Amino acid sequence: MLLEETPPVTRPNVVVAVLALGGITVALMQTLVIPLLPRFPSLLNSSPGDTTWVITATLLAGAVATPVVGRLGDMYGKRRMLVVSLVLLVVGSVIAALSYSLVPLVIGRVVQGLAVGVIPLGISIMRDELPVERLAGATALMSASLGVGGALGLPAAAILVEQTDWHMLFWTSAGVGTLVLAAVLVCVPESPVRSGGRFDVPGALGLSVALVCLLLGVSKASVWSGGTVTGLFVVAAAVLGLWGWWELRSPRPLVDLRTTARRQVLLTNISSLVFAFAMFAQSLVLPQVLQLPTSTGHGLGQSLLVTGLVLVPSGLVMMATSPVAARISNARGPRATLILGTLVVAFGYGAGIFMLTAVWQLVIISAVIGAGIGLGYGAMPALIMGAVPTSETAAANSLNALMRAIGTSVSSAVAGVVLTQVGVPFSFQLILGLGAATALLAAVVAAFIPSASPVRQVS
């Protein structure tokens, strides 16, 4: 096992900027298709139910790839797997850009989804390469890149859809991905911190099957029959149990469950899952309120472009709070930063229940929630890395990213049920109330996380 320390890179600002740009690019890839969802049935000559696979396929591919890529990064090189992920992003974007029917587009989106491990890989590279005094701010910025890319993606996509052919969305993704790939090859060094060993193929297959069944059941709960969904959940639980049994006995497990069971890691992952559930509420409610016709009495009648621009401040605030999160973490510890972030998000959702009648109100609510997300997401990598060996950094960060993805998926499914079963505007207020409640629950869980040790002390 190779665990030697490497000297800090001579250009840390460049490395941080390139890695953060990679995270923003992946988030853009996930967001760009949102404006096209209502148009896909006519564009692809498919039913509305079938076209949802454009989103679902990326979700499933990302869930499967994230833990696998993280483990491979620990074993064979994080920069190497980062390059592989960006290549997949570009290839998937090109496939999607050349598509004129549903099947090839879904294939392209699957390949794109395999690239979502870029953010946890980037955070792990930062741990290996940056001076310790730069680490907290850099990882906070990398975590915020997900929100920044998501916030910028909607207005960018709206402009492209209105001004050009829809295929330009994917050509743009391919072009930006190529630029980031070139920047990584030139500017980001490879760390010799490796865990070595043999890849856990049964563990990867078992976790993949469990995740696909779980997320399919969650995402299709309101569409498929109850028996099918229940069967998926049963299979997911059974396979997950067998997977856990195997992982505890494997000499080189995909996920070291003993490390994951450490109180700091376990509670951080639980808090991340709950916090991600809360985070998704704004991205579902605010666009609907903005775009509903004023004749309904509950909407503001705004265009897709205006809707995207309203959400931009959220992403910018996330980036602006990154250095704040770092300062709080350095002074009080990352647990305090996470708790503060969850409380800010809870306040934003609570205020949002009573502030849905004007565009400026939604801008404020979006910005407040963005500030809380920036604080919370900035603290999570520090909590994880303060409790795991350097040889398991990428795998641990990838598992944390997976918890957030699961939380977001469950939130989407629950919000969809609320929207179909509860009338407007009460459904909006109920979803915002659930967001506030789950953010407070995340704060309670975070309060039990033990104080983190400095991120480079664990070996």
Side-chain angles (χ1 to χ4, degrees):
M1 181 182 297
L2 181 58
L3 294 174
E4 62 190 68
E5 289 290 334
T6 58
V9 294
T10 57
R11 297 178 297 171
N13 290 336
V14 174
V15 172
V16 171
V18 170
L19 294 175
L21 182 59
I24 291 172
T25 302
V26 169
L28 281 170
M29 173 272 295
Q30 295 176 301
T31 309
L32 281 175
V33 298
I34 291 177
L36 280 173
L37 284 178
R39 307 184 189 185
F40 271 141
S42 59
L43 291 173
L44 302 174
N45 194 27
S46 300
S47 68
D50 288 340
T51 55
T52 60
W53 282 102
V54 175
I55 298 294
T56 304
T58 308
L59 168 70
L60 297 178
V64 169
T66 299
V68 171
V69 169
R71 182 61 181 150
L72 290 173
D74 284 331
M75 294 175 64
Y76 303 116
K78 304 175 185 70
R79 176 182 178 270
R80 180 176 297 174
M81 295 313 302
L82 179 64
V83 169
V84 170
S85 297
L86 290 170
V87 169
L88 290 171
L89 172 64
V90 173
V91 171
S93 299
V94 171
I95 294 173
L98 295 173
S99 301
Y100 286 87
S101 59
L102 180 62
V103 172
L105 179 58
V106 169
I107 292 173
R109 291 288 291 168
V110 167
V111 178
Q112 281 187 318
L114 298 175
V116 299
V118 164
I119 291 178
L121 284 170
I123 292 172
S124 303
I125 290 172
M126 289 175 177
R127 184 188 191 184
D128 292 346
E129 299 296 337
L130 297 182
V132 67
E133 65 273 10
R134 295 291 309 274
L135 189 56
T139 55
L141 178 62
M142 189 70 191
S143 294
S145 67
L146 180 62
V148 174
L152 297 180
L154 190 57
I159 293 173
L160 286 173
V161 169
E162 292 177 358
Q163 302 297 325
T164 66
D165 180 74
W166 65 272
H167 294 88
M168 279 302 300
L169 294 177
F170 299 106
W171 287 122
T172 301
S173 177
V176 175
T178 301
L179 292 175
V180 175
L181 174 60
V184 168
L185 291 172
V186 172
C187 302
V188 178
E190 179 64 273
S191 169
V193 179
R194 311 278 178 86
S195 63
R198 180 177 297 178
F199 183 69
D200 180 15
V201 175
L205 292 175
L207 183 59
S208 298
V209 170
L211 288 174
V212 168
C213 291
L214 172 64
L215 294 176
L216 266 181
V218 168
S219 61
K220 300 296 184 180
S222 60
V223 180
W224 291 353
S225 67
T228 301
V229 172
T230 300
L232 287 170
F233 288 147
V234 170
V235 172
V239 173
L240 200 59
L242 290 172
W243 174 79
W245 174 86
W246 170 263
E247 293 296 280
L248 288 172
R249 286 156 180 77
S250 175
R252 290 289 181 186
L254 178 73
V255 178
D256 188 339
L257 294 181
R258 292 179 177 84
T259 299
T260 304
R262 292 176 182 173
R263 186 178 174 187
Q264 183 168 318
V265 179
L266 178 63
L267 291 179
T268 300
N269 283 331
I270 293 174
S271 183
S272 299
L273 189 151
V274 178
F275 194 37
F277 184 99
M279 187 192 76
F280 189 76
Q282 72 153 339
S283 60
L284 185 68
V285 171
L286 300 191
Q288 294 208 42
V289 173
L290 284 162
Q291 293 183 77
L292 276 176
T294 54
S295 58
T296 63
H298 311 299
L300 301 178
Q302 301 298 319
S303 68
L304 181 61
L305 179 58
V306 171
T307 299
L309 293 175
V310 168
L311 298 178
V312 167
S314 174
L316 299 179
V317 170
M318 285 185 207
M319 182 174 290
T321 54
S322 297
V324 177
R327 285 196 291 270
I328 297 173
S329 294
N330 288 332
R332 300 283 184 176
R335 177 182 62 179
T337 311
L338 177 56
I339 293 173
L340 177 60
T342 58
L343 293 177
V344 171
V345 169
F347 173 78
Y349 279 129
I353 294 174
F354 309 100
M355 296 177 63
L356 295 175
T357 57
V359 172
W360 67 266
Q361 294 177 350
L362 299 190
V363 171
I364 292 176
I365 294 305
S366 176
V368 170
I369 294 172
I373 293 171
L375 290 170
Y377 273 20
M380 290 172 189
L383 286 165
I384 293 294
M385 292 188 293
V388 302
T390 54
S391 60
E392 298 178 16
T393 303
N397 279 319
S398 295
L399 182 62
N400 184 254
L402 178 61
M403 292 300 103
R404 285 182 266 172
I406 292 173
T408 300
S409 301
V410 175
S411 172
S412 175
V414 171
V417 172
V418 171
L419 285 173
T420 56
Q421 300 297 321
V422 181
V424 174
F426 301 109
S427 58
F428 296 152
Q429 294 168 337
L430 179 57
I431 292 171
L432 293 174
L434 287 172
T438 50
L440 290 175
L441 178 59
V444 172
V445 175
F448 289 94
I449 298 174
S451 298
S453 57
V455 294
R456 286 187 183 268
Q457 288 186 0
V458 181
S459 61

